[in-house]
Amino acid sequence: MLMKRILLPLVILCCGLHGTAVAQKRVLGADLSMLPVYEQAGAVYKDASGVAQADPLVFFRDAAGVRCVRLRLFVEPTGETGVVQDLNYVQTFARRIRQAGMKWMLDLHYSDTWADPDKQFIPRSWPTDAAGIEARIYAYTTEVLQALNAADAAPDYIQVGNEVSYGLCSMTATYAGGRWTKTAAPFAVDAYHDTHWDSFRAFLAAGAKACREQCPQARIVIHTERAGDWQTTHNFYQRLATLDYDIIGLSYYPFWHNSLTVLGATLTNLATTFPQKEVMVVEVAYNNAWYPTGEGVHDFQSLWPASPAGQEKFVTDLIAELRKHDNVTGLFYWMPEENPAGNNVYEPWLNRGLFANGNASVGQGNANCALPAFYALKKFTEGQEDGIREIGTRDSKDECATANRAAATSFDLGGRPTAAHHRGLAIVQGKKSIH
């Protein structure tokens, strides 16, 4: 009886702490993978009043409230538009992010070019058989994370693949004259059939294993882009029930993935079906001019015009929806650094960035100035402390040692030892923490 009297308040306290922790650990992020390229090209980043910013990264941190930077990595990038992020690029930028006191998410594409639903091309120098790919994913992930640790730039979050709804390293292709040509899809999957899922799960598990070994404190994200299709999303993650990962990552672009009502239903269903998983919207963006066209595009221009004001309203409405869902702990705007006035860094323009393009005909004559949506982003984390401080670089060896100590002193609520990345009561650096 005495034990029950002790345990019941503890359980209630822990549940209360966990509910509070979800509300307090909301992360606002941005995929700023092209920022160094824009800076090198001489792009000027200004606030809304036209004042040039000495350090655009700090401007994102302080004015927009961004606390985590998402950064993509290619194996041997081809140099196509947007495809320039090799390991040296990522190491250098990651150290700068750390020096600004910010967190960062590593987005492993496992390809030499964009990885998305239509393209999951095996790197050109890799083997193309299942066993060879699995081994190479493990070795490559290990090599990358060891290099980042050595550079004092360990990531806080790691995506094992990018938009892997239909597979990872699932296609072969040739590259010539600046163009990719798909030749076969030997490991493509879909959420409704069993074909190739054993290989796909093995590929993901190989990457996740390397992440746990090299950066045990990092949270592992599995990223898909079917936010507008609950049944496919459900089937996909149900098939990964035994995979070791932490966070469900979603892409959400309303013109492709439908309304906020549809997104909200997916988020509610994820909370019910996968209550142990956090959810992050790791890609989202909306046009500030020239709305997308094409087959299958949903037209929301009456609600959110393709204009600076419409873009701001979309961001505001999106955040209002996301804050209804306690399982949603992260929001990452994709390529807000797009700043095309006076350079040709990214052609053609996407018109989804958060800086004016200089075209007065679309209400953006104030070239390089932050648009209203830039400032609206911070609403996602309103009401919580950010904990930001410029800390310089971190000693990755100490970081990993801390993680190992945490794993050695981590227990579930029944008092049983468990790994630090599993839910339970953990002692980290001498302090109690609910995971």
Side-chain angles (χ1 to χ4, degrees):
M1 180 63 71
L2 178 60
M3 182 62 71
K4 288 182 180 178
R5 289 175 181 169
I6 294 172
L7 286 178
L8 183 57
L10 176 61
V11 170
I12 293 172
L13 172 62
C14 289
C15 290
L17 284 173
H18 183 260
T20 302
V22 169
Q24 289 298 316
K25 64 183 178 182
R26 205 176 285 127
V27 176
L28 176 63
D31 190 317
L32 300 177
S33 295
M34 291 296 290
L35 182 59
V37 183
Y38 274 107
E39 290 175 310
Q40 187 175 12
V44 178
Y45 288 83
K46 301 177 182 179
D47 66 15
S49 63
V51 177
Q53 302 299 302
D55 187 337
L57 179 63
V58 171
F59 183 49
F60 272 98
R61 184 193 71 189
D62 294 348
V66 170
R67 296 294 180 261
C68 188
V69 176
R70 183 173 181 256
L71 183 53
R72 60 181 172 266
L73 173 64
F74 301 101
V75 177
E76 295 179 55
T78 58
E80 305 160 74
T81 296
V83 184
V84 297
Q85 293 80 10
D86 61 12
L87 183 54
N88 182 65
Y89 182 107
V90 169
Q91 283 178 318
T92 302
F93 194 18
R95 284 178 61 86
R96 177 181 169 192
I97 293 165
R98 283 294 188 211
Q99 290 166 352
M102 302 168 76
K103 296 183 177 182
W104 76 285
M105 177 184 290
L106 174 62
D107 179 11
L108 290 162
H109 275 238
Y110 295 109
S111 185
D112 297 335
T113 188
W114 298 105
D116 56 41
D118 292 326
K119 303 184 296 297
Q120 291 286 339
F121 299 151
I122 301 167
R124 291 163 292 176
S125 63
W126 285 21
T128 56
D129 64 292
I133 293 170
E134 180 183 348
R136 195 69 195 97
I137 287 175
Y138 174 76
Y140 169 75
T141 307
T142 298
E143 293 160 7
V144 165
L145 296 179
Q146 286 178 342
L148 291 170
N149 279 333
D152 297 329
D156 300 276
Y157 304 92
I158 306 171
Q159 274 189 219
V160 179
N162 188 79
E163 293 189 334
V164 296
S165 309
Y166 301 102
L168 170 68
C169 290
S170 61
M171 306 172 187
T172 57
T174 59
Y175 182 69
R179 296 180 63 86
W180 287 93
T181 302
K182 183 170 71 174
T183 56
F187 303 109
V189 301
D190 71 64
Y192 297 90
H193 301 90
D194 294 337
T195 307
H196 304 313
W197 271 88
D198 286 344
S199 295
F200 179 40
R201 278 188 289 262
F203 295 170
L204 292 174
K209 181 174 184 288
C211 293
R212 293 296 189 212
E213 291 173 349
Q214 302 303 321
C215 291
Q217 281 190 313
R219 312 292 303 287
I220 297 175
V221 182
I222 302 299
H223 174 207
T224 59
E225 48 60 69
R226 297 283 85 198
D229 179 353
W230 163 242
Q231 194 58 57
T232 298
T233 298
H234 168 270
N235 291 2
F236 179 94
Y237 287 104
Q238 195 65 55
R239 288 176 178 272
L240 299 183
T242 61
L243 183 70
D244 179 18
Y245 74 102
D246 305 297
I247 298 169
I248 291 172
L250 303 176
S251 289
Y252 174 66
Y253 299 91
F255 31 84
W256 294 323
H257 301 133
N258 216 323
S259 68
L260 286 176
T261 300
V262 171
L263 173 65
T266 295
L267 297 173
T268 297
N269 288 332
L270 284 171
T272 302
T273 311
F274 305 101
Q276 75 281 17
K277 300 297 184 186
E278 297 174 31
V279 178
M280 289 187 172
V281 178
V282 296
E283 285 191 29
V284 67
Y286 196 80
N287 286 56
N288 56 50
W290 295 293
Y291 198 83
T293 59
E295 184 178 355
V297 170
H298 301 278
D299 189 350
F300 290 106
Q301 293 179 84
S302 61
L303 179 60
W304 307 305
S307 67
Q311 185 186 54
E312 179 190 22
K313 186 175 188 304
F314 166 75
V315 168
T316 299
D317 292 349
L318 169 69
I319 289 172
E321 178 62 43
L322 295 183
R323 287 178 63 107
K324 297 175 185 177
H325 303 271
D326 284 343
N327 59 327
V328 176
T329 59
L331 169 62
F332 289 73
Y333 197 95
W334 193 81
M335 204 175 166
E337 76 274 28
E338 182 185 16
N339 190 0
N343 64 74
N344 60 353
V345 165
Y346 208 99
E347 297 285 353
W349 295 359
L350 292 176
N351 305 299
R352 296 172 199 155
L354 302 183
F355 294 86
N357 60 28
N359 190 332
S361 69
V362 293
Q364 298 186 43
N366 53 337
N368 309 122
C369 289
L371 297 174
F374 176 88
Y375 297 97
L377 284 173
K378 65 177 65 174
K379 296 176 183 177
F380 183 66
T381 52
E382 274 183 350
Q384 69 179 33
E385 296 181 5
D386 58 39
I388 277 291
R389 57 190 176 89
E390 296 197 21
I391 57 175
T393 58
R394 299 193 299 180
D395 188 329
S396 59
K397 294 179 182 177
D398 288 346
E399 184 175 75
C400 289
T402 298
N404 291 334
R405 288 195 299 272
T409 55
S410 181
F411 305 89
D412 65 22
L413 296 180
R416 294 173 293 274
T418 184
H421 57 266
H422 294 150
R423 293 194 183 279
L425 184 63
I427 311 296
V428 181
Q429 294 182 310
K431 297 180 180 180
K432 294 180 181 179
S433 170
I434 298 296
H435 290 261

